[in-house]
Amino acid sequence: MSADYDQRRGVAHELIRRDTMSSDAPKNAIAHLAGRPLLPNRGIPLDLDYVKDVRINTSAVERRAQSHVARRTVKKDWQAAWLLRAITCMDLTTLSGDDTDERVRRLCAKARQPIRQDLVEKLGIAELDIKVAAVCVYHTFIETAVHALEGTRIHVAAVSTGFPAGLSPLAERVAEIRRSVEAGAHEIDVVITRAHVFGGRWQALYDEIAAFKQACGTAHMKVILGTGDLLTLRNVTRASWVAMMAGADFIKTSTGKEPTNATLPVGFVMTRAIREYAQQTGMAVGFKPAGGIRTAKQSLDWLSMMREELGLSWVRGELFRFGASSLLGDIERQLEHHATGRYSAEHRHPLA
């Protein structure tokens, strides 16, 4: 094997090795922050005073996001290694009105082998067994996805609760969650009632999310805030705190259907809410930006944000996800350029 091959493989393995938890951490710890092991989120009673007292310096957040993009970059082998990490944090998603069982099966095949085999061999990463974190579908296609992914560690996620608007009656939304869990979904992406945020009805929002959490049972619950609809970063932060207090396993920016989806300023206020919640409670909550993340460069911006704001233990599929499918094609193109020195056409990296 060439020296370049061995070096690329070594960098990728080093990044994966850093993913592991400390051997002296409690067995049920899922992350650590400033050396403190953190447990999965169980939720806490709603603290209305804390929620109402939230203040955000919007201009400072926007300056932080601008400087982050300008200052943060990785090159060569480390860039390739981080792009591989990005793949392991992806939720491959198909949420179209014309979805079919065959389209879902093709998406699952891509989830099982997200990188072309010849690139895997050139990069020397076969033993890493790179796969995406989950496949996200409508309820109708849960069983199709479960069967297609049988024998893998890839989760099946289902959007629920009247996705994307979240305006169907509460009893129907809760029943929808239960049906998806019974069909085999490992994760449920739920949608909040945005009107509760606009009206400052924090108890109603807390009760709604707590009911969703109870219906999820052992399935992980990702709470979609619809940040593009919430208008202000203060609203985003308040909704993030209520969702975490109610037991969210993840907080997620968007459905992907709003005019404005994941943005870095929103990412900063949500991750800092996660950090402060962890400091106060000793519990870790995951984060999922969704919608509008289409390029490998953007994925590196988000990964470095997670690394700086929360630490390396959050930069893995258990606690961070990209809600993006078109992103994978550009990452494959960048990996091919790294391995061969040439960019390939998009049609050489089909998704579905």
Side-chain angles (χ1 to χ4, degrees):
M1 293 291 182
S2 69
D4 287 346
Y5 174 95
D6 290 338
Q7 183 179 4
R8 285 196 297 266
R9 182 175 61 179
V11 169
H13 277 262
E14 172 65 11
L15 187 57
I16 296 299
R17 184 187 67 78
R18 293 187 186 183
D19 194 15
T20 59
M21 293 290 295
S22 171
S23 59
D24 59 355
K27 289 185 178 180
N28 55 345
I30 61 171
H32 56 266
L33 187 66
R36 178 189 183 186
L38 302 173
L39 303 178
N41 188 30
R42 302 183 305 275
I44 60 174
L46 177 63
D47 185 341
L48 282 173
D49 290 336
Y50 190 91
V51 174
K52 291 176 181 177
D53 287 344
V54 166
R55 296 292 186 273
I56 299 296
N57 186 332
T58 299
S59 60
V61 174
E62 291 173 346
R63 287 196 302 271
R64 175 71 176 90
Q66 290 170 357
S67 66
H68 176 79
V69 174
R71 293 185 294 113
R72 297 296 180 263
T73 185
V74 288
K75 298 294 185 182
K76 299 183 178 180
D77 290 341
W78 282 106
Q79 182 184 80
W82 277 107
L83 292 177
L84 293 174
R85 174 62 64 90
I87 292 173
T88 67
C89 295
M90 281 188 188
D91 285 358
L92 286 190
T93 303
T94 182
L95 297 171
S96 300
D98 58 352
D99 282 345
T100 64
D101 287 318
E102 185 55 34
R103 175 179 290 178
V104 171
R105 281 190 283 267
R106 289 199 303 270
L107 192 70
C108 291
K110 188 65 174 177
R112 295 175 71 122
Q113 187 173 345
I115 309 170
R116 289 198 337 254
Q117 187 59 34
D118 63 309
L119 284 181
V120 170
E121 294 170 1
K122 284 184 173 70
L123 293 167
I125 57 169
E127 61 269 41
L128 294 180
D129 193 26
I130 298 292
K131 290 179 171 58
V132 305
V135 169
C136 186
V137 295
Y138 281 117
H139 170 84
T140 304
F141 302 104
I142 292 173
E143 292 187 13
T144 299
V146 167
H147 291 148
L149 297 172
E150 188 174 2
T152 73
R153 62 179 182 272
I154 303 168
H155 287 185
V156 174
V159 293
S160 190
T161 61
F163 179 92
L167 292 177
S168 54
L170 180 61
E172 291 182 13
R173 286 180 279 160
V174 170
E176 186 180 355
I177 293 171
R178 293 193 175 118
R179 287 195 298 270
S180 292
V181 173
E182 290 170 1
H186 309 105
E187 302 172 1
I188 305 293
D189 289 28
V190 304
V191 186
I192 67 167
T193 302
R194 281 75 134 185
H196 290 332
V197 178
F198 300 140
R201 297 189 291 272
W202 306 116
Q203 186 67 57
L205 180 61
Y206 178 93
D207 292 343
E208 175 183 84
I209 297 171
F212 295 162
K213 177 66 173 178
Q214 183 178 21
C216 284
T218 59
H220 275 210
M221 179 176 71
K222 303 203 285 291
V223 179
I224 306 172
L225 303 182
T227 55
D229 292 339
L230 297 186
L231 302 180
T232 69
L233 293 179
R234 188 184 185 196
N235 279 344
V236 171
T237 305
R238 286 170 154 183
S240 297
W241 269 96
V242 174
M244 293 187 291
M245 290 174 178
D249 295 295
F250 271 71
I251 51 176
K252 175 179 173 182
T253 61
S254 324
T255 65
K257 308 293 186 181
E258 296 93 12
T260 302
N261 293 291
T263 66
L264 282 174
V266 161
F268 275 109
V269 298
M270 291 178 72
T271 52
R272 291 188 179 187
I274 290 171
R275 184 174 66 192
E276 189 171 348
Y277 183 82
Q279 290 169 339
Q280 292 191 15
T281 67
M283 294 183 287
V285 176
F287 176 58
K288 178 179 176 179
I293 304 171
R294 297 185 177 88
T295 68
K297 173 62 169 65
Q298 288 174 313
S299 75
L300 296 175
D301 291 338
W302 286 94
L303 287 169
S304 62
M305 182 197 72
M306 294 297 293
R307 174 69 179 86
E308 292 179 9
E309 296 297 321
L310 292 167
L312 195 57
S313 67
W314 253 273
V315 189
R316 52 199 180 92
E318 290 83 355
L319 286 169
F320 179 63
R321 301 286 179 83
F322 288 108
S325 294
S326 58
L327 171 62
L328 180 55
D330 191 56
I331 288 180
E332 271 198 284
R333 293 180 69 239
Q334 297 299 324
L335 290 173
E336 180 158 359
H337 179 265
H338 181 75
T340 68
R342 300 184 301 274
Y343 286 107
S344 62
E346 291 185 3
H347 70 263
R348 285 174 52 82
H349 308 281
L351 181 60

